[in-house]
mmCIF file of all heavy atoms in Angstrom:
data_model
loop_
_atom_site.group_PDB
_atom_site.id
_atom_site.type_symbol
_atom_site.label_atom_id
_atom_site.label_comp_id
_atom_site.label_asym_id
_atom_site.label_seq_id
_atom_site.Cartn_x
_atom_site.Cartn_y
_atom_site.Cartn_z
ATOM 1 N N GLU A 232 1.883 -21.947 -55.371
ATOM 2 C CA GLU A 232 2.520 -22.712 -54.287
ATOM 3 C C GLU A 232 3.686 -23.537 -54.807
ATOM 4 O O GLU A 232 3.806 -24.724 -54.534
ATOM 5 C CB GLU A 232 1.479 -23.624 -53.619
ATOM 6 C CG GLU A 232 0.405 -22.870 -52.894
ATOM 7 C CD GLU A 232 -0.680 -23.759 -52.339
ATOM 8 O OE1 GLU A 232 -0.895 -24.872 -52.854
ATOM 9 O OE2 GLU A 232 -1.340 -23.326 -51.392
ATOM 10 N N ARG A 233 4.556 -22.907 -55.542
ATOM 11 C CA ARG A 233 5.757 -23.616 -56.017
ATOM 12 C C ARG A 233 6.647 -23.967 -54.827
ATOM 13 O O ARG A 233 7.322 -24.980 -54.842
ATOM 14 C CB ARG A 233 6.507 -22.740 -57.015
ATOM 15 C CG ARG A 233 5.766 -22.593 -58.319
ATOM 16 C CD ARG A 233 6.605 -21.882 -59.367
ATOM 17 N NE ARG A 233 5.804 -21.660 -60.560
ATOM 18 C CZ ARG A 233 5.372 -20.484 -60.967
ATOM 19 N NH1 ARG A 233 5.684 -19.400 -60.279
ATOM 20 N NH2 ARG A 233 4.652 -20.382 -62.055
ATOM 21 N N ASN A 234 6.634 -23.098 -53.840
ATOM 22 C CA ASN A 234 7.369 -23.347 -52.612
ATOM 23 C C ASN A 234 6.530 -24.318 -51.763
ATOM 24 O O ASN A 234 5.374 -24.051 -51.462
ATOM 25 C CB ASN A 234 7.586 -22.034 -51.870
ATOM 26 C CG ASN A 234 8.402 -22.188 -50.616
ATOM 27 O OD1 ASN A 234 8.619 -23.288 -50.126
ATOM 28 N ND2 ASN A 234 8.857 -21.068 -50.096
ATOM 29 N N TYR A 235 7.099 -25.444 -51.376
ATOM 30 C CA TYR A 235 6.368 -26.477 -50.638
ATOM 31 C C TYR A 235 5.869 -25.969 -49.292
ATOM 32 O O TYR A 235 4.811 -26.382 -48.811
ATOM 33 C CB TYR A 235 7.246 -27.718 -50.466
ATOM 34 C CG TYR A 235 6.508 -28.908 -49.911
ATOM 35 C CD1 TYR A 235 5.492 -29.508 -50.639
ATOM 36 C CD2 TYR A 235 6.814 -29.420 -48.662
ATOM 37 C CE1 TYR A 235 4.801 -30.594 -50.142
ATOM 38 C CE2 TYR A 235 6.135 -30.511 -48.154
ATOM 39 C CZ TYR A 235 5.127 -31.098 -48.899
ATOM 40 O OH TYR A 235 4.443 -32.176 -48.407
ATOM 41 N N GLN A 236 6.611 -25.020 -48.686
ATOM 42 C CA GLN A 236 6.206 -24.506 -47.380
ATOM 43 C C GLN A 236 4.878 -23.744 -47.492
ATOM 44 O O GLN A 236 4.049 -23.808 -46.588
ATOM 45 C CB GLN A 236 7.293 -23.595 -46.794
ATOM 46 C CG GLN A 236 7.014 -23.154 -45.372
ATOM 47 C CD GLN A 236 6.897 -24.335 -44.410
ATOM 48 O OE1 GLN A 236 7.722 -25.246 -44.432
ATOM 49 N NE2 GLN A 236 5.877 -24.325 -43.566
ATOM 50 N N LYS A 237 4.665 -23.029 -48.586
ATOM 51 C CA LYS A 237 3.384 -22.338 -48.782
ATOM 52 C C LYS A 237 2.240 -23.340 -48.794
ATOM 53 O O LYS A 237 1.172 -23.097 -48.233
ATOM 54 C CB LYS A 237 3.390 -21.552 -50.094
ATOM 55 C CG LYS A 237 4.076 -20.226 -50.029
ATOM 56 C CD LYS A 237 3.847 -19.483 -51.333
ATOM 57 C CE LYS A 237 4.453 -18.122 -51.298
ATOM 58 N NZ LYS A 237 4.177 -17.376 -52.529
ATOM 59 N N TYR A 238 2.460 -24.459 -49.447
ATOM 60 C CA TYR A 238 1.450 -25.516 -49.518
ATOM 61 C C TYR A 238 1.156 -26.058 -48.119
ATOM 62 O O TYR A 238 0.004 -26.220 -47.728
ATOM 63 C CB TYR A 238 1.935 -26.634 -50.446
ATOM 64 C CG TYR A 238 1.077 -27.871 -50.441
ATOM 65 C CD1 TYR A 238 -0.130 -27.901 -51.123
ATOM 66 C CD2 TYR A 238 1.473 -29.026 -49.762
ATOM 67 C CE1 TYR A 238 -0.930 -29.024 -51.124
ATOM 68 C CE2 TYR A 238 0.681 -30.160 -49.753
ATOM 69 C CZ TYR A 238 -0.513 -30.156 -50.437
ATOM 70 O OH TYR A 238 -1.303 -31.273 -50.440
ATOM 71 N N LEU A 239 2.207 -26.307 -47.340
ATOM 72 C CA LEU A 239 2.030 -26.814 -45.980
ATOM 73 C C LEU A 239 1.307 -25.788 -45.100
ATOM 74 O O LEU A 239 0.446 -26.161 -44.280
ATOM 75 C CB LEU A 239 3.382 -27.177 -45.367
ATOM 76 C CG LEU A 239 4.104 -28.372 -46.002
ATOM 77 C CD1 LEU A 239 5.467 -28.559 -45.356
ATOM 78 C CD2 LEU A 239 3.278 -29.633 -45.898
ATOM 79 N N ASP A 240 1.627 -24.519 -45.278
ATOM 80 C CA ASP A 240 0.959 -23.470 -44.500
ATOM 81 C C ASP A 240 -0.526 -23.412 -44.829
ATOM 82 O O ASP A 240 -1.368 -23.289 -43.941
ATOM 83 C CB ASP A 240 1.604 -22.109 -44.762
ATOM 84 C CG ASP A 240 3.006 -21.996 -44.189
ATOM 85 O OD1 ASP A 240 3.381 -22.829 -43.340
ATOM 86 O OD2 ASP A 240 3.729 -21.067 -44.607
ATOM 87 N N ARG A 241 -0.862 -23.496 -46.121
ATOM 88 C CA ARG A 241 -2.264 -23.461 -46.511
ATOM 89 C C ARG A 241 -3.000 -24.682 -45.981
ATOM 90 O O ARG A 241 -4.139 -24.591 -45.522
ATOM 91 C CB ARG A 241 -2.397 -23.401 -48.041
ATOM 92 C CG ARG A 241 -3.851 -23.260 -48.491
ATOM 93 C CD ARG A 241 -3.969 -23.004 -49.970
ATOM 94 N NE ARG A 241 -3.515 -24.098 -50.785
ATOM 95 C CZ ARG A 241 -4.303 -25.081 -51.242
ATOM 96 N NH1 ARG A 241 -5.583 -25.083 -50.962
ATOM 97 N NH2 ARG A 241 -3.804 -26.037 -51.989
ATOM 98 N N THR A 242 -2.344 -25.839 -45.997
ATOM 99 C CA THR A 242 -2.951 -27.057 -45.468
ATOM 100 C C THR A 242 -3.236 -26.906 -43.969
ATOM 101 O O THR A 242 -4.314 -27.274 -43.490
ATOM 102 C CB THR A 242 -2.038 -28.271 -45.722
ATOM 103 O OG1 THR A 242 -1.768 -28.353 -47.116
ATOM 104 C CG2 THR A 242 -2.668 -29.559 -45.265
ATOM 105 N N ALA A 243 -2.286 -26.343 -43.225
ATOM 106 C CA ALA A 243 -2.469 -26.129 -41.789
ATOM 107 C C ALA A 243 -3.595 -25.119 -41.538
ATOM 108 O O ALA A 243 -4.406 -25.292 -40.614
ATOM 109 C CB ALA A 243 -1.174 -25.640 -41.151
ATOM 110 N N ASP A 244 -3.664 -24.067 -42.363
ATOM 111 C CA ASP A 244 -4.737 -23.082 -42.224
ATOM 112 C C ASP A 244 -6.099 -23.714 -42.488
ATOM 113 O O ASP A 244 -7.076 -23.419 -41.792
ATOM 114 C CB ASP A 244 -4.528 -21.904 -43.178
ATOM 115 C CG ASP A 244 -3.389 -20.995 -42.742
ATOM 116 O OD1 ASP A 244 -2.971 -21.081 -41.576
ATOM 117 O OD2 ASP A 244 -2.925 -20.194 -43.587
ATOM 118 N N LEU A 245 -6.163 -24.583 -43.492
ATOM 119 C CA LEU A 245 -7.424 -25.265 -43.794
ATOM 120 C C LEU A 245 -7.856 -26.143 -42.622
ATOM 121 O O LEU A 245 -9.024 -26.165 -42.255
ATOM 122 C CB LEU A 245 -7.295 -26.108 -45.065
ATOM 123 C CG LEU A 245 -7.361 -25.356 -46.387
ATOM 124 C CD1 LEU A 245 -6.992 -26.285 -47.541
ATOM 125 C CD2 LEU A 245 -8.750 -24.787 -46.595
ATOM 126 N N LYS A 246 -6.888 -26.854 -42.042
ATOM 127 C CA LYS A 246 -7.203 -27.732 -40.920
ATOM 128 C C LYS A 246 -7.725 -26.918 -39.730
ATOM 129 O O LYS A 246 -8.715 -27.303 -39.085
ATOM 130 C CB LYS A 246 -5.956 -28.518 -40.520
ATOM 131 C CG LYS A 246 -6.210 -29.561 -39.463
ATOM 132 C CD LYS A 246 -4.957 -30.372 -39.198
ATOM 133 C CE LYS A 246 -5.225 -31.444 -38.172
ATOM 134 N NZ LYS A 246 -4.035 -32.251 -37.893
ATOM 135 N N ALA A 247 -7.098 -25.774 -39.450
ATOM 136 C CA ALA A 247 -7.540 -24.915 -38.350
ATOM 137 C C ALA A 247 -8.920 -24.332 -38.647
ATOM 138 O O ALA A 247 -9.780 -24.239 -37.751
ATOM 139 C CB ALA A 247 -6.528 -23.797 -38.117
ATOM 140 N N SER A 248 -9.166 -23.963 -39.896
ATOM 141 C CA SER A 248 -10.475 -23.421 -40.271
ATOM 142 C C SER A 248 -11.571 -24.465 -40.107
ATOM 143 O O SER A 248 -12.681 -24.146 -39.665
ATOM 144 C CB SER A 248 -10.454 -22.928 -41.721
ATOM 145 O OG SER A 248 -9.582 -21.841 -41.855
ATOM 146 N N ILE A 249 -11.255 -25.695 -40.449
ATOM 147 C CA ILE A 249 -12.225 -26.778 -40.289
ATOM 148 C C ILE A 249 -12.555 -26.977 -38.813
ATOM 149 O O ILE A 249 -13.721 -27.127 -38.436
ATOM 150 C CB ILE A 249 -11.710 -28.084 -40.941
ATOM 151 C CG1 ILE A 249 -11.737 -27.941 -42.459
ATOM 152 C CG2 ILE A 249 -12.518 -29.286 -40.489
ATOM 153 C CD1 ILE A 249 -11.059 -29.073 -43.198
ATOM 154 N N ALA A 250 -11.543 -26.942 -37.966
ATOM 155 C CA ALA A 250 -11.770 -27.113 -36.524
ATOM 156 C C ALA A 250 -12.654 -25.983 -35.978
ATOM 157 O O ALA A 250 -13.574 -26.232 -35.186
ATOM 158 C CB ALA A 250 -10.434 -27.156 -35.783
ATOM 159 N N ARG A 251 -12.384 -24.738 -36.400
ATOM 160 C CA ARG A 251 -13.204 -23.609 -35.944
ATOM 161 C C ARG A 251 -14.641 -23.743 -36.427
ATOM 162 O O ARG A 251 -15.590 -23.507 -35.681
ATOM 163 C CB ARG A 251 -12.612 -22.287 -36.435
ATOM 164 C CG ARG A 251 -11.413 -21.808 -35.645
ATOM 165 C CD ARG A 251 -11.053 -20.377 -35.993
ATOM 166 N NE ARG A 251 -10.791 -20.183 -37.410
ATOM 167 C CZ ARG A 251 -9.610 -20.319 -38.000
ATOM 168 N NH1 ARG A 251 -8.564 -20.661 -37.271
ATOM 169 N NH2 ARG A 251 -9.456 -20.113 -39.288
ATOM 170 N N LYS A 252 -14.802 -24.124 -37.693
ATOM 171 C CA LYS A 252 -16.144 -24.237 -38.252
ATOM 172 C C LYS A 252 -16.918 -25.376 -37.582
ATOM 173 O O LYS A 252 -18.115 -25.263 -37.346
ATOM 174 C CB LYS A 252 -16.054 -24.450 -39.766
ATOM 175 C CG LYS A 252 -17.325 -24.200 -40.514
ATOM 176 C CD LYS A 252 -17.927 -22.836 -40.249
ATOM 177 C CE LYS A 252 -17.196 -21.725 -40.928
ATOM 178 N NZ LYS A 252 -17.886 -20.425 -40.828
ATOM 179 N N GLU A 253 -16.227 -26.487 -37.255
ATOM 180 C CA GLU A 253 -16.897 -27.581 -36.542
ATOM 181 C C GLU A 253 -17.352 -27.124 -35.157
ATOM 182 O O GLU A 253 -18.433 -27.496 -34.695
ATOM 183 C CB GLU A 253 -15.964 -28.793 -36.429
ATOM 184 C CG GLU A 253 -15.810 -29.550 -37.731
ATOM 185 C CD GLU A 253 -14.787 -30.668 -37.656
ATOM 186 O OE1 GLU A 253 -13.922 -30.659 -36.731
ATOM 187 O OE2 GLU A 253 -14.830 -31.545 -38.527
ATOM 188 N N ALA A 254 -16.537 -26.303 -34.496
ATOM 189 C CA ALA A 254 -16.919 -25.767 -33.190
ATOM 190 C C ALA A 254 -18.123 -24.838 -33.333
ATOM 191 O O ALA A 254 -19.028 -24.849 -32.484
ATOM 192 C CB ALA A 254 -15.747 -25.019 -32.558
ATOM 193 N N ASP A 255 -18.162 -24.050 -34.407
ATOM 194 C CA ASP A 255 -19.315 -23.169 -34.649
ATOM 195 C C ASP A 255 -20.595 -23.985 -34.847
ATOM 196 O O ASP A 255 -21.643 -23.658 -34.290
ATOM 197 C CB ASP A 255 -19.075 -22.293 -35.882
ATOM 198 C CG ASP A 255 -18.002 -21.237 -35.669
ATOM 199 O OD1 ASP A 255 -17.605 -21.022 -34.500
ATOM 200 O OD2 ASP A 255 -17.554 -20.639 -36.675
ATOM 201 N N VAL A 256 -20.487 -25.036 -35.654
ATOM 202 C CA VAL A 256 -21.657 -25.882 -35.919
ATOM 203 C C VAL A 256 -22.147 -26.517 -34.614
ATOM 204 O O VAL A 256 -23.350 -26.546 -34.338
ATOM 205 C CB VAL A 256 -21.321 -26.950 -36.984
ATOM 206 C CG1 VAL A 256 -22.396 -28.017 -37.057
ATOM 207 C CG2 VAL A 256 -21.125 -26.300 -38.350
ATOM 208 N N ALA A 257 -21.218 -26.997 -33.799
ATOM 209 C CA ALA A 257 -21.597 -27.616 -32.524
ATOM 210 C C ALA A 257 -22.287 -26.601 -31.602
ATOM 211 O O ALA A 257 -23.275 -26.923 -30.933
ATOM 212 C CB ALA A 257 -20.372 -28.208 -31.837
ATOM 213 N N ALA A 258 -21.786 -25.361 -31.589
ATOM 214 C CA ALA A 258 -22.385 -24.330 -30.736
ATOM 215 C C ALA A 258 -23.805 -23.985 -31.203
ATOM 216 O O ALA A 258 -24.711 -23.821 -30.384
ATOM 217 C CB ALA A 258 -21.518 -23.072 -30.736
ATOM 218 N N ILE A 259 -24.001 -23.914 -32.508
ATOM 219 C CA ILE A 259 -25.340 -23.614 -33.029
ATOM 220 C C ILE A 259 -26.296 -24.753 -32.695
ATOM 221 O O ILE A 259 -27.453 -24.520 -32.311
ATOM 222 C CB ILE A 259 -25.278 -23.352 -34.547
ATOM 223 C CG1 ILE A 259 -24.491 -22.066 -34.829
ATOM 224 C CG2 ILE A 259 -26.679 -23.238 -35.136
ATOM 225 C CD1 ILE A 259 -24.180 -21.831 -36.295
ATOM 226 N N LYS A 260 -25.813 -25.987 -32.795
ATOM 227 C CA LYS A 260 -26.659 -27.133 -32.441
ATOM 228 C C LYS A 260 -27.036 -27.105 -30.972
ATOM 229 O O LYS A 260 -28.168 -27.440 -30.601
ATOM 230 C CB LYS A 260 -25.954 -28.448 -32.798
ATOM 231 C CG LYS A 260 -25.935 -28.719 -34.287
ATOM 232 C CD LYS A 260 -25.246 -30.043 -34.580
ATOM 233 C CE LYS A 260 -25.252 -30.339 -36.077
ATOM 234 N NZ LYS A 260 -24.558 -31.595 -36.391
ATOM 235 N N ARG A 261 -26.094 -26.710 -30.105
ATOM 236 C CA ARG A 261 -26.406 -26.608 -28.680
ATOM 237 C C ARG A 261 -27.485 -25.553 -28.442
ATOM 238 O O ARG A 261 -28.403 -25.758 -27.648
ATOM 239 C CB ARG A 261 -25.152 -26.239 -27.878
ATOM 240 C CG ARG A 261 -24.269 -27.397 -27.524
ATOM 241 C CD ARG A 261 -23.235 -27.030 -26.468
ATOM 242 N NE ARG A 261 -22.466 -25.841 -26.773
ATOM 243 C CZ ARG A 261 -21.340 -25.817 -27.490
ATOM 244 N NH1 ARG A 261 -20.862 -26.937 -27.981
ATOM 245 N NH2 ARG A 261 -20.701 -24.690 -27.703
ATOM 246 N N GLU A 262 -27.365 -24.415 -29.121
ATOM 247 C CA GLU A 262 -28.363 -23.359 -28.968
ATOM 248 C C GLU A 262 -29.730 -23.824 -29.454
ATOM 249 O O GLU A 262 -30.750 -23.516 -28.834
ATOM 250 C CB GLU A 262 -27.943 -22.100 -29.735
ATOM 251 C CG GLU A 262 -26.785 -21.348 -29.095
ATOM 252 C CD GLU A 262 -27.109 -20.842 -27.710
ATOM 253 O OE1 GLU A 262 -28.211 -20.310 -27.489
ATOM 254 O OE2 GLU A 262 -26.248 -20.986 -26.822
ATOM 255 N N LEU A 263 -29.761 -24.551 -30.546
ATOM 256 C CA LEU A 263 -31.022 -25.088 -31.026
ATOM 257 C C LEU A 263 -31.618 -26.079 -30.044
ATOM 258 O O LEU A 263 -32.839 -26.132 -29.845
ATOM 259 C CB LEU A 263 -30.834 -25.768 -32.387
ATOM 260 C CG LEU A 263 -30.938 -24.867 -33.611
ATOM 261 C CD1 LEU A 263 -30.536 -25.614 -34.873
ATOM 262 C CD2 LEU A 263 -32.327 -24.289 -33.759
ATOM 263 N N GLY A 264 -30.768 -26.863 -29.406
ATOM 264 C CA GLY A 264 -31.214 -27.818 -28.398
ATOM 265 C C GLY A 264 -31.829 -27.132 -27.197
ATOM 266 O O GLY A 264 -32.753 -27.664 -26.569
ATOM 267 N N LYS A 265 -31.363 -25.957 -26.854
ATOM 268 C CA LYS A 265 -31.918 -25.207 -25.715
ATOM 269 C C LYS A 265 -33.330 -24.716 -26.010
ATOM 270 O O LYS A 265 -34.121 -24.528 -25.094
ATOM 271 C CB LYS A 265 -31.035 -24.010 -25.392
ATOM 272 C CG LYS A 265 -29.712 -24.378 -24.774
ATOM 273 C CD LYS A 265 -28.899 -23.122 -24.496
ATOM 274 C CE LYS A 265 -27.513 -23.444 -23.977
ATOM 275 N NZ LYS A 265 -26.708 -22.240 -23.766
ATOM 276 N N LEU A 266 -33.617 -24.471 -27.281
ATOM 277 C CA LEU A 266 -34.936 -23.929 -27.652
ATOM 278 C C LEU A 266 -35.999 -25.018 -27.752
ATOM 279 O O LEU A 266 -37.187 -24.716 -27.820
ATOM 280 C CB LEU A 266 -34.849 -23.175 -28.966
ATOM 281 C CG LEU A 266 -34.036 -21.879 -28.921
ATOM 282 C CD1 LEU A 266 -33.934 -21.265 -30.290
ATOM 283 C CD2 LEU A 266 -34.648 -20.891 -27.946
#
Side-chain angles (χ1 to χ4, degrees):
E232 294 175 335
R233 290 188 185 110
N234 183 346
Y235 189 65
Q236 187 60 46
K237 279 187 177 183
Y238 171 77
L239 293 176
D240 291 344
R241 184 172 65 92
T242 304
D244 287 344
L245 282 171
K246 186 175 182 180
S248 295
I249 289 171
R251 282 192 303 271
K252 196 54 75 172
E253 285 174 341
D255 290 348
V256 168
I259 294 171
K260 286 181 179 178
R261 277 193 309 273
E262 288 298 317
L263 273 172
K265 289 180 185 177
L266 292 176

